Amino acid sequence: MTVSVSSETTSQSSPPPPDSKERVSEFMKQLQDEICQSLEKLDGKGIFKEDCWERPEGGGGRSRVMREGAVFEQGGVNFSEVWGEQLPPSILAQRPEAAGHSFYATGTSMVLHPRNPYIPTVHLNYRYFEAGPIWWFGGGADLTPYYPFAEDAAHFHRTLKQACDNHHWEYYPVFKRWCDEYFYLKHRQEMRGVGGIFFDYQDGQGLLYRGPDANGPAATYSNQIGIPATRSWEELFAFVQDCGRAFLPAYVPIVERRRNMQYGERERNFQLYRRGRYVEFNLVYDRGTIFGLQTNGRTESILMSLPPLVRWEYGYQPEPNTPEAELYEVFLKPQDWANWTPPSE
Amino acid sequence: MTVSVSSETTSQSSPPPPDSKERVSEFMKQLQDEICQSLEKLDGKGIFKEDCWERPEGGGGRSRVMREGAVFEQGGVNFSEVWGEQLPPSILAQRPEAAGHSFYATGTSMVLHPRNPYIPTVHLNYRYFEAGPIWWFGGGADLTPYYPFAEDAAHFHRTLKQACDNHHWEYYPVFKRWCDEYFYLKHRQEMRGVGGIFFDYQDGQGLLYRGPDANGPAATYSNQIGIPATRSWEELFAFVQDCGRAFLPAYVPIVERRRNMQYGERERNFQLYRRGRYVEFNLVYDRGTIFGLQTNGRTESILMSLPPLVRWEYGYQPEPNTPEAELYEVFLKPQDWANWTPPSE
């Protein structure tokens, strides 16, 4: 892997088609629709309630929230499409070519908080930006179990890997690693969960890979050997669509396997405690949250990722040789889930 | 009020005495002791459990936590004394004279989360820094009610005002305003509570006042007319001690007035919901939290300010003409609490 500091760079992204914004936002809305319909069917009781909203500076969105479903204690699926004079500083630091240009951004994001502690929390976000001469796609999906199962982590990763592999065999290993690095709580020295895929700034100029210090001042990228130096807008859009559509087959079977498992106060208490890490990540580190708050986004929609009920406990440590300890020791460390095999009997 | 951009400045702070660090840290420990003893007596059931810890880079502390008391669902009182090679960037941006110098910092901080929603949450923090040629004191105390009473807000403010007034009549109005501005959730356009006092960077060179954009890149200060251009280290230390010792008389009577008030599920639910704002403030804005996480502080001690149980609810709005609505409309806006008078009967 050759690592080089990104200069604002010699090669040129291929231009987007004239109807790029309409096509991407149409896809993002469809993705929201498909996910909401399937989740309502899966839940069997909860219904998404929609709020449409406008952003005074330009654009708006539709936020959909399910509360107190049979499976989902809370789930939020948000579509938004916003535009404005100038990207916020946190993004301009990464994409200085966009300075002085108006921007357009659209995306769908989702966080599901199941009630049963055997069902993992899950997050998805796909997004598209245009600003002056540049455009890029970003996003991913990641899984956060409380009482984890290796086969669930493996299934989630394999489904996303298949979507990636259909486009290029180098996508999954790079975007899996990026996800492990991004969803990391530095102050806890813990991963948020078992990961998935994550990428940002994909503009067709080779395979961009953001180094571990995701919020640091300088962008470092790698060009993977084998990735075409220029991928077209159409190729990347097709890739993002396949990733988005891989979510339901990656997650729904996990819910079906775990939804009838019995749990008690101990499991519920641990789930509420671990949800605290989700809050810590989203408020301290998450780029989407920071973007939303910096662009005067709709606070209720941005923070609908926060769990409905959360516990903090000073000095908590799992007892050795318990399922809680196994979460920390095995599942909150990077693992090659796609190649996991069940222990032979 | 004359506003001028702080240049690194012509006047010189008076030097601290040779035993400054020992004297301040001794006071900070005494303050922790006095507060813990009084709170145990007040609670009647809960006991503070102490953890002593060391920081690998230098220094350490003693964290004390009460859980499941009769009054306090959770309370944390933390003393720490740390030193190191270099202050973190967030502070150096404010105090560039400290660059390249080792630093020393000591302080006591406290957050109390009562169970009864009629008793307000309260926060206190006093701290002292030395770094090369400079030193300063900072801190304050602020009150966050759920079901508020004007007489409680007035009592809290008046008690702190008296401590300030004993040193200079201009302290309270400036530090009260600073508190209102600092404990503000921009993304909610809400104050955290009814305030109190807050100050930072008090180094004896006139009265420093940090403008509203507390986390912005440039420091803006005002020199109040009437404050001596140079106050001695001794004067400021005496002031900080009086502020610290004003906490118990400011808060304990409020607890005594409210501890036996009956409440139900509605009040408890609203309290848990409003505690979410406390989490949002501490993780998104709080300077002490950011300092702690940036200096590789003890995460459990830093985050012991977070409430034991918290709720988020998408799109919550208080019903008009309820006590919940009154909190937003009257108490989460800046008010002249020290001059509040009961409505005449």
Side-chain angles (χ1 to χ4, degrees):
Chain A
M1 192 184 285
T2 321
V3 177
S4 60
V5 173
S6 131
S7 50
E8 304 334 323
T9 144
T10 47
S11 63
Q12 188 72 35
S13 299
S14 71
D19 56 352
S20 57
K21 297 172 189 174
E22 293 76 11
R23 284 175 60 201
V24 182
S25 74
E26 194 52 41
F27 162 71
M28 295 293 178
K29 278 188 251 187
Q30 277 172 19
L31 183 64
Q32 185 195 33
D33 287 341
E34 288 169 21
I35 288 175
C36 288
Q37 283 157 21
S38 294
L39 292 179
E40 285 185 353
K41 207 174 136 199
L42 177 69
D43 190 88
K45 176 189 164 204
I47 297 288
F48 281 98
K49 185 177 158 296
E50 180 175 282
D51 282 329
C52 292
W53 48 274
E54 287 184 14
R55 179 172 166 275
E57 298 85 348
R62 48 186 212 197
S63 297
R64 293 184 187 159
V65 178
M66 179 191 289
R67 290 180 58 196
E68 299 183 17
V71 169
F72 298 108
E73 191 172 337
Q74 183 178 296
V77 191
N78 195 33
F79 161 80
S80 69
E81 182 182 33
V82 303
W83 52 85
E85 294 290 302
Q86 177 92 334
L87 283 164
S90 63
I91 294 186
L92 286 178
Q94 304 297 330
R95 303 269 90 177
E97 315 94 302
H101 294 284
S102 60
F103 75 95
Y104 171 88
T106 187
T108 286
S109 65
M110 179 202 75
V111 174
L112 305 179
H113 293 290
R115 183 174 286 102
N116 188 319
Y118 290 103
I119 308 177
T121 282
V122 70
H123 161 250
L124 164 148
N125 168 242
Y126 290 99
R127 56 206 185 216
Y128 173 68
F129 284 81
E130 286 187 17
I134 60 169
W135 56 267
W136 71 90
F137 289 94
D142 70 290
L143 196 70
T144 305
Y146 304 95
Y147 287 88
F149 297 88
E151 68 174 295
D152 294 350
H155 170 78
F156 189 78
H157 273 271
R158 282 175 191 150
T159 311
L160 296 178
K161 179 176 188 298
Q162 191 55 58
C164 290
D165 288 354
N166 290 344
H167 293 266
H168 198 287
W169 64 271
E170 283 182 316
Y171 281 165
Y172 173 76
V174 174
F175 297 158
K176 188 269 188 202
R177 178 175 160 184
W178 198 337
C179 189
D180 286 347
E181 290 167 350
Y182 181 74
F183 293 102
Y184 179 75
L185 288 88
K186 203 176 160 192
H187 65 283
R188 299 285 190 181
Q189 299 183 277
E190 266 172 33
M191 289 171 61
R192 180 164 87 171
V194 298
I197 58 170
F198 180 77
F199 54 88
D200 207 353
Y201 305 122
Q202 299 301 309
D203 60 3
Q205 299 180 63
L207 177 61
L208 299 185
Y209 164 66
R210 191 68 173 74
D213 185 14
N215 295 309
T220 307
Y221 299 109
S222 292
N223 268 308
Q224 299 288 304
I225 297 161
I227 292 276
T230 303
R231 292 162 295 157
S232 69
W233 187 93
E234 295 291 351
E235 283 172 84
L236 278 168
F237 182 38
F239 166 66
V240 167
Q241 290 177 79
D242 282 355
C243 288
R245 297 225 159 90
F247 164 71
L248 287 167
Y251 185 64
V252 170
I254 298 172
V255 175
E256 284 169 342
R257 273 206 288 269
R258 307 300 164 202
R259 64 184 296 169
N260 294 320
M261 287 185 69
Q262 298 297 307
Y263 64 92
E265 204 177 336
R266 167 181 170 160
E267 290 79 17
R268 176 67 171 169
N269 271 340
F270 183 63
Q271 177 199 49
L272 298 187
Y273 174 77
R274 290 293 314 172
R275 281 179 176 175
R277 300 292 205 275
Y278 222 82
V279 175
E280 291 175 23
F281 183 85
N282 283 12
L283 295 183
V284 176
Y285 301 107
D286 186 61
R287 208 177 295 173
T289 303
I290 293 163
F291 174 78
L293 298 175
Q294 282 182 342
T295 51
N296 194 20
R298 185 173 183 259
T299 295
E300 289 294 334
S301 299
I302 298 163
L303 297 185
M304 85 190 182
S305 64
L306 300 181
L309 195 64
V310 186
R311 220 167 56 79
W312 272 274
E313 181 179 328
Y314 172 80
Y316 170 81
Q317 295 263 321
E319 298 279 327
N321 305 312
T322 58
E324 293 83 5
E326 196 197 8
L327 175 72
Y328 287 79
E329 288 159 17
V330 178
F331 288 83
L332 301 184
K333 298 186 187 328
Q335 305 282 3
D336 184 10
W337 291 116
N339 286 313
W340 177 82
T341 48
S344 52
E345 317 210 344
Chain B
M1 190 185 287
T2 320
V3 177
S4 59
V5 173
S6 132
S7 49
E8 304 332 324
T9 137
T10 49
S11 63
Q12 188 72 35
S13 298
S14 71
D19 57 353
S20 57
K21 296 171 188 173
E22 293 76 10
R23 284 175 61 200
V24 181
S25 74
E26 196 50 43
F27 162 71
M28 295 294 178
K29 278 188 252 189
Q30 279 173 18
L31 183 62
Q32 186 195 33
D33 287 340
E34 288 169 20
I35 288 175
C36 289
Q37 283 157 21
S38 294
L39 292 179
E40 284 185 353
K41 207 174 136 199
L42 178 68
D43 190 87
K45 175 189 166 205
I47 297 289
F48 281 98
K49 185 178 159 295
E50 180 175 280
D51 282 330
C52 292
W53 49 273
E54 287 186 13
R55 179 172 166 274
E57 297 86 348
R62 47 186 213 196
S63 297
R64 294 183 186 161
V65 178
M66 178 191 291
R67 290 180 57 195
E68 299 182 17
V71 169
F72 298 108
E73 191 172 338
Q74 183 178 294
V77 192
N78 194 33
F79 162 79
S80 69
E81 182 181 34
V82 303
W83 50 85
E85 293 291 302
Q86 176 92 334
L87 284 165
S90 64
I91 295 187
L92 286 178
Q94 303 298 329
R95 302 269 90 176
E97 315 94 301
H101 294 284
S102 60
F103 74 95
Y104 171 88
T106 187
T108 285
S109 63
M110 178 202 75
V111 174
L112 305 179
H113 292 290
R115 183 173 286 102
N116 189 318
Y118 289 102
I119 308 177
T121 283
V122 70
H123 162 250
L124 164 147
N125 168 242
Y126 291 99
R127 56 203 185 220
Y128 173 67
F129 284 82
E130 286 188 16
I134 60 169
W135 56 269
W136 71 91
F137 290 94
D142 69 291
L143 196 71
T144 306
Y146 303 95
Y147 287 89
F149 296 88
E151 68 174 294
D152 294 350
H155 170 79
F156 189 79
H157 273 270
R158 281 174 191 151
T159 311
L160 297 178
K161 179 175 188 296
Q162 190 56 58
C164 291
D165 288 354
N166 290 345
H167 293 266
H168 198 287
W169 64 270
E170 283 182 315
Y171 281 165
Y172 173 76
V174 174
F175 297 158
K176 188 270 187 200
R177 177 175 159 183
W178 197 337
C179 189
D180 286 347
E181 289 168 350
Y182 180 74
F183 293 102
Y184 180 73
L185 288 87
K186 203 176 159 190
H187 64 283
R188 299 285 191 181
Q189 299 182 278
E190 266 172 31
M191 290 172 62
R192 181 165 89 169
V194 298
I197 59 169
F198 180 78
F199 54 88
D200 207 351
Y201 306 120
Q202 299 300 309
D203 60 2
Q205 298 181 64
L207 177 61
L208 299 186
Y209 164 66
R210 190 67 172 76
D213 185 12
N215 295 308
T220 306
Y221 299 110
S222 291
N223 268 307
Q224 299 289 306
I225 296 160
I227 292 277
T230 303
R231 292 162 297 158
S232 70
W233 187 93
E234 295 292 351
E235 283 173 83
L236 278 167
F237 182 38
F239 166 65
V240 166
Q241 290 176 78
D242 282 353
C243 288
R245 297 225 158 88
F247 164 70
L248 287 168
Y251 184 63
V252 170
I254 297 172
V255 175
E256 284 170 341
R257 273 205 289 267
R258 309 297 167 204
R259 63 184 298 167
N260 293 319
M261 286 184 70
Q262 298 298 308
Y263 64 93
E265 204 178 336
R266 167 180 171 160
E267 290 79 16
R268 176 68 171 168
N269 272 339
F270 183 64
Q271 178 199 49
L272 298 187
Y273 174 77
R274 290 294 313 172
R275 281 178 176 175
R277 300 293 207 274
Y278 222 82
V279 175
E280 292 174 24
F281 183 84
N282 283 11
L283 296 183
V284 177
Y285 301 107
D286 186 60
R287 207 177 296 172
T289 303
I290 292 163
F291 173 77
L293 298 176
Q294 281 182 343
T295 52
N296 195 20
R298 186 173 183 260
T299 295
E300 288 294 334
S301 299
I302 298 163
L303 298 185
M304 85 190 183
S305 63
L306 301 181
L309 195 64
V310 187
R311 221 167 55 80
W312 272 273
E313 180 179 328
Y314 171 81
Y316 170 82
Q317 295 263 322
E319 298 278 327
N321 304 313
T322 59
E324 294 82 6
E326 195 196 11
L327 175 72
Y328 288 78
E329 287 158 17
V330 178
F331 288 83
L332 300 184
K333 298 186 188 324
Q335 305 281 4
D336 184 9
W337 292 116
N339 287 313
W340 176 83
T341 47
S344 50
E345 319 206 346

